[in-house]
Amino acid sequence: KAGVTQTPRYLIKTRGQQVTLSCSPISGHRSVSWYQQTPGQGLQFLFEYFSETQRNKGNFPGRFSGRQFSNSRSEMNVSTLELGDSALYLCASSPLPGSTYNEQFFGPGTRLTVL
Amino acid sequence: GQQVMQIPQYQHVQEGEDFTTYCNSSTTLSNIQWYKQRPGGHPVFLIQLVKSGEVKKQKRLTFQFGEAKKNSSLHITATQTTDVGTYFCAIGDRYNQGGKLIFGQGTELSVKP
């Protein structure tokens, strides 16, 4: 089975712009979670989607949003980019919802740099 | 919010030495997961512990869950250069019905050959 794929792998944007990141989960996985990883804050949960519904949301401002499509693919959007949004954005999938109890399969991430 | 403290932040060892990382929570946990992230890579699931006092082994890796289910450890015996990376523990946020993983800060392991 192919693993979790994320596109693009690298992205450079300027402050004020918006960005959309894409994640394709492992075939058959219906749960997708997003995480932000920075050297200072570590790995932080953004949101979790299952069957096109957002089940959980982390403590991020409303500039961070996401959605999931009927084929389980997910996108996350960050509007009005700030320098502090520079990070590695990781997507993780699992067959079932509830990331606490299920092994999370992470994708390679999208490295976002905001200038 | 709920937190999990992980120590040490860094560990430098000579190849062949042992390594241990610890995670501690102030609240009782339902379970705990461990992940490894190689430099430049992404987190990879290692194991999940659920039962009080549980001990699980994967070759040279030994995982323990405390009797009170408030702490956990990962021990690597006779480290190898392939063990290099950052090891994270992760717990569930009790206020989000199991849908939100909270990661420890990680322990970065470097192994000198």
Side-chain angles (χ1 to χ4, degrees):
Chain A
K1 267 186 182 179
V4 177
T5 57
Q6 292 187 245
T7 56
R9 293 291 311 278
Y10 302 91
L11 207 48
I12 299 175
K13 292 285 188 179
T14 55
R15 280 181 299 174
Q17 287 187 310
Q18 76 164 17
V19 66
T20 299
L21 312 181
S22 180
C23 170
S24 292
I26 291 172
S27 178
H29 286 194
R30 295 166 61 197
S31 171
V32 173
S33 297
W34 288 88
Y35 294 84
Q36 181 196 65
Q37 187 173 31
T38 59
Q41 299 299 315
L43 269 160
Q44 292 189 289
F45 173 85
L46 280 158
F47 19 68
E48 178 198 20
Y49 286 89
F50 180 77
S51 293
E52 302 178 66
T53 302
Q54 186 180 90
R55 293 185 74 250
N56 289 284
K57 191 175 190 305
N59 299 323
F60 280 82
R63 300 185 296 106
F64 292 80
S65 62
R67 58 178 176 168
Q68 187 180 34
F69 302 95
S70 58
N71 62 358
S72 295
R73 190 178 69 85
S74 177
E75 288 182 347
M76 68 163 280
N77 184 278
V78 188
S79 63
T80 319
L81 284 166
E82 301 177 359
L83 294 178
D85 296 333
S86 294
L88 180 66
Y89 289 88
L90 292 158
C91 163
S93 77
S94 68
L96 299 171
S99 51
T100 304
Y101 307 106
N102 300 295
E103 173 182 353
Q104 298 297 293
F105 295 83
F106 282 85
T110 294
R111 173 75 61 185
L112 172 64
T113 302
V114 182
L115 302 176
Chain B
Q2 201 169 1
Q3 290 183 350
V4 59
M5 302 303 295
Q6 188 171 359
I7 57 169
Q9 190 173 357
Y10 303 98
Q11 186 79 58
H12 309 285
V13 300
Q14 195 78 30
E15 189 171 22
E17 291 181 338
D18 292 357
F19 159 79
T20 306
T21 174
Y22 302 89
C23 281
N24 295 289
S25 168
S26 58
T27 58
T28 302
L29 305 170
S30 56
N31 62 325
I32 191 165
Q33 296 180 0
W34 286 91
Y35 290 80
K36 175 185 178 182
Q37 185 173 20
R38 287 198 162 97
H42 56 274
V44 175
F45 177 85
L46 293 175
I47 209 159
Q48 175 168 260
L49 304 174
V50 179
K51 299 177 183 176
S52 166
E54 188 170 18
V55 178
K56 286 189 175 180
K57 293 190 175 184
Q58 291 179 351
K59 297 182 180 178
R60 294 177 296 103
L61 277 60
T62 302
F63 303 84
Q64 292 191 344
F65 204 8
E67 292 290 342
K69 299 183 73 174
K70 289 186 175 182
N71 57 75
S72 181
S73 65
L74 157 58
H75 179 83
I76 302 179
T77 304
T79 54
Q80 300 175 358
T81 55
T82 53
D83 295 325
V84 164
T86 301
Y87 293 84
F88 295 95
C89 61
I91 65 172
D93 185 340
R94 53 165 48 181
Y95 303 109
N96 280 275
Q97 300 176 339
K100 175 182 174 182
L101 269 180
I102 297 171
F103 282 82
Q105 283 296 101
T107 296
E108 185 178 337
L109 172 64
S110 64
V111 179
K112 188 175 180 181

